[in-house]
């Protein structure tokens, strides 16, 4: 839905991510004369109220996550007898023991690497395959092109749930069920409609003259694609890469069904632990943070592209 | 559509050399090149997206094992099986409540954050939950919603607020008199002394059955206060724990280490009416001063034994869906706010300034100008949330504890349970999948329409 608004933006506009774009400065309203100090005071006051309210909201938003982080630094025993906020009075009781303990568990470490082994290829494949298809839909001429592309647009909102059962049967007969390649392929397939849509729209904004000139010079389509379209499409490709990577990294449902014990990612390994909630917060809390670290680093390192990608990809 | 084609590719048609053979060869070549570019995508989309849709539709007309054609039975069962109807009802709640709250909250925060200097930091903070997995968010909220106020931050706050407003007389639910004959229980759950006392007397009330963890840290030994004599017109004494840790105490007597129970209400009753009330101190002392002479019975009211307020059972069967929606809002509000904020930033400043010049107040500007101009963006947020909410799975799966999974179930979790999680009824599972797909068809149509319009 955001599609046409955000995804379809021309190259220049996409650089201005909503999050970083400070709302066009509400010019410090040239204090209109005649209102007097009372109005000025009222304005200051309401501004103070707004600040206090937003500060409160921010605090509320921060608390649950901070709570889990504090819990992850406390011993199992402390956690079972008192709340994490008690740790503020005895900071010395905090330690990274839980993390060390967690990293000693080979299945958790394995699950972490599985997550990497699923996310990286699933992202690379989506970007490559979608870039190829996006170029074809934007600049190559073949019969039925627009109809095929409409089918892709329709597929944007197809829920992954519909594929779980049939694909698990299909993978079963192909020997892919329960393996990392199976999980990757499923992610790629369900990531493609949005990826193709995003890149096709972006590529379509490239000035026609540039492509025509390249074709006149005898450039093959492959050469035009790699030398011209890909470099020009970099902003969209960056957004797509980050969005897809986090999407796959954070997935639980697909891996829950298509991965077996050896190939399960961190999310699945942790969810089995949630079944005995309460008794093992010492594993869950640091585990959750282990799974959070990569997305958070990506988030802060590439906020601009991330926000852009999420905005465009919200339809999924 | 045809407009696009013409616009996009006029060059090829004209620039190819004339003559039928080279032209058709070039056309075939072009088709082959296009196919090469498209092949990987088409293969994957065809086999893993398109084919499963057809398969699911077909499979939904067969029974659990897949051998017998049952027509629409799976679809009728969907609306009869109580567990599945529950899931459908919960999904309906989600679809109605979450988008409204999310759009409203996003709008308010977007408008307000325009007025502060640290808007960027605020947006960043609010947007952060979008980066993390539903699983991690689920664990975060599972901990925050913990029922025990000693451990769950939400209930710790709820109890704090509750106690601040309703007074904090501490209840000792397990306590009872050491000697039920001298202090018998009344019908209403209170305890009243059998013997009467008069001003000038002292009376010590011994209780037992208070587990050590319930005894406040402030509680002090009661012996000294117990031996203090009553003044004229004063009725006093202690309420104490008639139990010496490690043994050695005598029942009915205040032994040196035995502690008073603070915070209890003690009532003086005359002729069945409560005429005075006192509260015990840290050493368990209570005092009634200036009581008119006469015979009184001492009473420990029911509230002394009431269960302490334990907060709200967020993860219980009745509140589980609202609780999970709360976690969902935590994740998605940043998205809604940033998207609406981007819309706000692109509003024509002139219109707003003009309205301000004309003396409109902020509320009028908000209602009459901002909201109407923003309605397309608000629509986008709303529809996006509707689509997302229909598919919500991980959050429900993680936050709802085992016994309340049923009460929290939504279409996606039900579908998973039926097809994979033990139900093993792939017929019904496929039907639920098809239902999910049907529910997003309007969004699909909307997408196509928008796209076609943007192309023409």
């Amino acid at each position: 839905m955001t599609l046409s608004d955000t995804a379809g933006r021309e190259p220049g506009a996409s650089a201005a991510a909503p999050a970083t774009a400070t709302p066009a400065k509400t010019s410090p309203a040239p204090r209109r004369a005649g209102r007097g100090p009372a109005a000025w005071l009222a304005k200051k006051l309401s501004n103070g109220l707004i600040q206090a309210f937003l500060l409160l909201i921010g605090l509320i938003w921060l608390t649950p996550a901070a709570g889990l982080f504090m819990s992850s630094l406390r011993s199992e025993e402390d956690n079972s007898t008192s709340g994490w906020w008690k740790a503020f009075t005895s900071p010395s009781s905090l330690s990274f023991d839980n993390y060390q303990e967690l990293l000693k568990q080979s299945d958790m470490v394995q699950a972490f690497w599985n997550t990497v082994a699923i996310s990286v290829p699933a992202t690379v494949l989506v970007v490559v395959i979608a870039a190829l298809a996006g170029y074809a839909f934007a600049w190559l001429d073949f019969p039925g092109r627009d109809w095929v592309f409409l089918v892709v647009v329709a597929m944007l909102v197809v829920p992954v749930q519909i594929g779980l059962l049939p694909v698990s049967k299909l993978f079963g007969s192909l020997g892919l069920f329960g393996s990392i390649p199976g999980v990757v392929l499923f992610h790629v397939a369900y990531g493609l409609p949005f990826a193709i849509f995003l890149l096709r729209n972006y590529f379509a904004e490239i000035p026609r003259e540039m492509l025509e000139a390249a074709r006149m010079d005898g450039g093959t389509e492959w050469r035009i694609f790699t030398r011209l379209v890909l470099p020009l499409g970099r902003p969209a490709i960056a957004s797509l890469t980050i969005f897809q990577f986090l999407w796959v990294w954070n997935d639980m449902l697909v891996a829950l069904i298509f991965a077996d014990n050896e190939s399960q990612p961190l999310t699945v390994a942790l969810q089995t632990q949630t079944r005995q909630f309460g008794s093992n917060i010492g594993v869950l809390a640091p585990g959750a943070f282990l799974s959070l670290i990569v997305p958070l680093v990506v988030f802060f390192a590439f906020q601009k592209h991330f926000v852009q990608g999420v905005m465009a990809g919200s339809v999924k | 559509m045809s407009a696009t084609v013409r616009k996009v590719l006029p060059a090829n048609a004209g620039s190819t050399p004339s003559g039928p053979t080279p032209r058709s060869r070039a056309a075939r070549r072009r088709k082959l090149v296009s196919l090469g570019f498209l092949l990987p995508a088409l293969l994957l989309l065809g086999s893993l997206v398109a084919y499963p849709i057809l398969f699911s539709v077909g499979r939904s007309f067969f029974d659990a094992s897949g051998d017998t054609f049952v027509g629409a039975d799976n679809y009728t069962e969907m609306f009869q099986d109580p567990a599945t109807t529950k899931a459908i009802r919960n999904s309906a709640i989600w679809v109605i409540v979450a988008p409204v709250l999310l759009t409203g909250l996003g709008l308010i925060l977007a408008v307000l954050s325009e007025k502060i200097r640290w808007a960027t930091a605020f947006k960043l903070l609010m947007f952060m939950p979008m980066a993390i997995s539903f699983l991690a968010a689920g664990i975060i909220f599972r901990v925050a919603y913990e029922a025990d106020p000693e451990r769950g931050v939400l209930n710790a706050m709820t109890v704090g607020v509750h106690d601040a407003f309703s007074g904090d007389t501490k209840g000792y639910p397990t306590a009872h008199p050491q000697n039920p004959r001298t202090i018998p229980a009344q019908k209403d759950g209170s305890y009243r002394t059998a013997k009467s006392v008069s001003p000038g007397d002292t009376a010590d009330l011994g209780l037992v059955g208070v587990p050590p963890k319930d005894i406040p840290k402030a509680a002090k030994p009661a012996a000294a206060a117990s031996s203090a004599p009553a003044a004229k017109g004063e009725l006093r004494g202690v309420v104490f724990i008639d139990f010496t840790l490690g043994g050695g105490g005598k029942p009915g007597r205040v032994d040196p280490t035995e502690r008073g129970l603070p915070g209890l209400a003690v009532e003086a009753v005359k002729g069945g009416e409560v005429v005075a009330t006192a509260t015990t101190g840290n050493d368990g002392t209570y005092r009634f001063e200036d009581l008119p002479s006469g015979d009184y019975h001492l009473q420990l009211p029911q509230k002394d034994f009431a269960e302490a307020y334990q907060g709200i059972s967020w993860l219980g069967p009745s509140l589980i869906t609202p609780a999970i929606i709360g976690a969902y809002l935590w994740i998605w509000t940043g998205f809604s706010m940033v998207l609406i904020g981007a819309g706000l930033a692109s509003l024509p400043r002139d219109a707003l300034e003009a309205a301000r010049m004309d003396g409109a107040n902020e509320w009028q500007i908000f209602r009459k100008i901002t909201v109407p101009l923003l309605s397309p963006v608000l629509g986008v947020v709303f529809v996006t949330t509707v689509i997302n909410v229909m598919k919500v799975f991980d959050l429900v799966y993680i936050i709802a504890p085992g016994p309340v999974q049923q009460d929290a179930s939504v279409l996606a979790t039900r579908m998973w349970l039926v097809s994979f999680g033990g139900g093993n009824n792939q017929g019904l599972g496929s039907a639920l999948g098809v239902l999910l797909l049907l529910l997003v068809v309007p969004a699909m149509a909307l997408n196509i329409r928008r796209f076609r319009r943007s192309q023409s």
Side-chain angles (χ1 to χ4, degrees):
Chain A
M1 329 269 48
T2 10
L3 318 176
S4 34
D5 314 79
T6 11
R9 278 198 199 151
E10 49 291 311
S14 81
T20 42
T22 18
K25 299 251 158 40
T26 340
S27 50
R31 221 163 284 147
R32 238 153 273 117
R35 289 281 181 91
W40 178 80
L41 191 72
K43 190 160 185 176
K44 277 274 172 223
L45 233 127
S46 75
N47 205 312
L49 269 173
I50 290 172
Q51 301 235 19
F53 176 71
L54 293 184
L55 212 58
L56 180 74
I57 293 276
L59 213 64
I60 293 175
W61 246 249
L62 212 52
T63 305
L68 190 74
F69 183 61
M70 293 292 279
S71 301
S72 77
L73 299 177
R74 303 177 80 214
S75 71
E76 193 86 54
E77 197 191 332
D78 283 352
N79 274 325
S80 65
T81 53
S82 63
W84 51 265
W85 53 93
K86 295 275 164 56
F88 288 118
T89 53
S90 58
S92 58
S93 67
L94 299 177
S95 74
F96 283 96
D97 292 354
N98 287 333
Y99 288 88
Q100 278 173 358
E101 212 45 52
L102 186 80
L103 293 177
K104 275 187 212 148
Q105 293 186 26
S106 57
D107 53 337
M108 281 292 167
V109 177
Q110 177 67 43
F112 181 87
W113 290 116
N114 284 342
T115 309
V116 176
I118 291 169
S119 312
V120 172
T123 307
V124 172
L125 281 175
V126 159
V127 171
V128 170
I129 295 176
L132 288 169
Y135 176 65
F137 281 124
W139 293 106
L140 297 180
D141 188 22
F142 55 91
R145 181 182 75 168
D146 297 305
W147 286 109
V148 179
F149 189 66
L150 273 191
V151 172
V152 173
V153 174
M155 282 178 173
L156 278 173
V157 290
V158 169
V160 292
Q161 275 88 355
I162 196 105
L164 298 177
L165 201 84
V167 176
S168 64
K169 282 180 185 291
L170 188 69
F171 281 0
S173 59
L174 293 174
L176 284 169
F177 192 75
S179 69
I180 287 182
V183 182
V184 170
L185 279 181
F186 191 91
H187 276 305
V188 173
Y190 281 81
L192 272 180
F194 164 67
I196 295 174
F197 182 84
L198 180 79
L199 293 186
R200 181 263 174 211
N201 284 354
Y202 199 88
F203 293 162
E205 304 281 343
I206 296 171
R208 191 167 10 114
E209 297 75 34
M210 290 176 79
L211 276 111
E212 272 169 19
R215 279 182 181 145
M216 292 293 229
D217 292 347
T220 61
E221 296 299 340
W222 178 251
R223 219 182 139 75
I224 294 172
F225 173 69
T226 53
R227 294 291 165 85
L228 188 70
V229 174
L230 283 188
L232 284 175
R234 218 161 33 203
I237 291 174
S239 292
L240 174 65
T241 306
I242 288 156
F243 178 80
Q244 175 71 15
F245 177 78
L246 289 184
W247 180 265
V248 177
W249 184 279
N250 286 336
D251 160 77
M252 179 180 89
L253 175 59
V254 173
L256 193 62
I257 285 161
F258 291 104
D260 62 8
N261 280 339
E262 270 73 56
S263 56
Q264 66 182 10
L266 207 47
T267 46
V268 177
L270 283 171
Q271 76 74 32
T272 54
Q273 299 274 346
T274 61
R275 292 297 140 211
Q276 318 114 32
F277 226 103
S279 56
N280 55 358
I281 192 75
V283 178
L284 279 177
F289 270 93
L290 192 65
S291 82
L292 277 184
I293 280 178
V294 172
L296 278 190
V297 168
V298 171
F299 173 66
F300 280 112
F302 308 99
Q303 320 158 16
K304 210 170 69 180
H305 292 303
F306 173 69
V307 174
Q308 194 68 23
V310 170
M311 289 302 156
S314 56
V315 278
K316 271 180 79 166
Chain B
M1 284 292 88
S2 53
T4 337
V5 184
R6 250 184 288 122
K7 191 177 74 192
V8 168
L9 287 159
N12 283 5
S15 59
T16 27
S18 50
T21 325
R23 178 174 280 191
S24 64
R25 194 183 295 152
R28 192 169 341 122
R29 209 185 121 70
R30 261 203 328 263
K31 270 187 220 164
L32 272 176
V33 169
S34 308
L35 193 66
F37 274 90
L38 277 176
L39 196 64
L42 292 185
L43 269 180
L44 280 166
L45 288 177
S47 62
L48 301 184
V49 182
Y51 157 75
I53 293 176
L54 299 177
F55 180 92
S56 290
V57 172
R59 186 68 182 77
S60 71
F61 294 111
F62 284 83
D63 69 349
S65 58
D67 302 329
T68 324
F69 181 81
V70 292
D73 278 9
N74 285 321
Y75 292 92
T76 50
E77 188 190 343
M78 211 149 67
F79 295 98
Q80 282 159 4
D81 168 37
T84 310
T85 49
K86 175 88 192 164
I88 294 176
R89 211 171 319 138
N90 277 340
S91 279
I93 294 176
W94 271 88
V95 167
I96 294 166
V97 175
V100 173
L101 288 181
L102 198 71
T103 314
L105 201 58
L107 177 62
I108 292 170
L109 294 179
V111 169
L112 290 184
S113 67
E114 272 218 310
K115 306 201 187 300
I116 56 172
R117 277 159 200 244
W118 39 284
T120 308
F122 183 68
K123 286 179 178 174
L124 207 61
L125 168 70
M126 300 293 288
F127 206 81
M128 205 162 40
M130 285 295 297
I132 71 177
S133 63
F134 282 120
L135 168 100
I139 294 175
I140 286 175
F141 274 87
R142 184 74 182 266
V143 173
Y145 280 137
E146 179 70 51
D148 182 353
E150 294 292 321
R151 293 193 286 148
V153 68
L154 228 74
N155 262 350
M157 286 198 263
T158 319
V159 170
V161 170
H162 176 273
D163 288 353
F165 282 103
S166 66
D168 55 351
T169 17
K170 179 99 171 76
Y172 302 95
T174 52
H176 53 90
Q178 182 272 325
N179 186 342
R181 260 172 312 180
T182 56
I183 317 177
Q186 307 294 304
K187 277 202 202 80
D188 62 355
S190 59
Y191 291 93
R192 195 185 289 176
T193 53
K195 263 186 7 197
S196 61
V197 286
S198 310
D201 290 345
T202 64
D204 299 334
L205 309 173
L207 297 179
V208 290
V210 184
K213 72 173 176 62
D214 280 9
I215 302 173
K217 287 211 175 63
K220 288 203 190 89
S226 154
S227 55
K232 193 167 176 293
E234 187 191 47
L235 175 56
R236 62 172 296 162
V238 296
V239 180
F240 68 107
I241 305 168
D242 198 357
F243 176 80
T244 302
L245 221 66
K250 264 216 179 109
R253 223 187 62 194
V254 186
D255 294 300
T257 60
E258 290 177 352
R259 285 184 285 179
L261 276 174
L264 282 177
V266 182
E267 295 170 344
V269 180
K270 187 173 190 178
E273 297 278 315
V274 176
V275 292
T277 306
T279 306
T280 57
N282 282 344
D283 54 1
T285 337
Y286 68 89
R287 300 163 62 180
F288 296 103
E289 286 166 335
D290 301 325
L291 272 186
S293 55
D295 290 340
Y296 298 90
H297 291 272
L298 293 170
Q299 173 168 286
L300 296 171
Q302 192 269 333
K303 69 171 178 188
D304 285 349
F305 307 98
E307 201 73 56
Y309 180 65
Q310 285 294 315
I312 298 165
S313 169
W314 301 104
L315 299 178
S318 50
L319 280 183
I320 185 70
T321 297
I324 303 175
I325 293 179
Y328 186 86
L329 290 183
W330 182 76
I331 301 173
W332 281 87
T333 297
F335 162 79
S336 153
M337 179 182 123
V338 170
L339 200 61
I340 296 173
L344 266 179
S346 65
L347 286 189
R349 293 281 137 185
D350 311 355
L352 300 182
E353 276 307 308
R356 271 197 198 104
M357 288 304 232
D358 291 346
N361 64 33
E362 291 295 323
W363 173 244
Q364 286 169 323
I365 293 175
F366 176 75
R367 275 220 19 225
K368 297 277 164 64
I369 302 178
T370 312
V371 172
L373 283 178
L374 275 183
S375 54
V377 184
L378 298 180
V380 167
V381 173
F382 193 90
V383 174
T384 307
T385 313
V386 169
I387 302 174
N388 283 324
V389 149
M390 277 180 207
K391 299 185 265 185
V392 65
F393 173 84
D394 313 33
L395 263 194
V396 178
Y397 186 79
I398 297 296
I399 295 183
V404 275
Q405 271 287 332
Q406 276 259 356
D407 301 280
S409 77
V410 289
L411 274 178
T413 55
R414 183 73 196 145
M415 193 231 152
W416 180 83
L417 197 71
V418 167
S419 350
F420 300 96
N424 213 14
N425 183 347
Q426 304 189 344
L428 181 58
S430 300
L432 283 168
V434 173
L435 176 67
L436 263 180
L437 183 67
L438 287 178
L439 288 173
V440 296
V441 161
M444 209 181 262
L446 203 70
N447 265 352
I448 292 180
R449 224 184 57 195
R450 268 166 192 268
F451 175 71
R452 297 190 81 145
R453 204 182 295 151
S454 74
Q455 294 300 306
S456 56

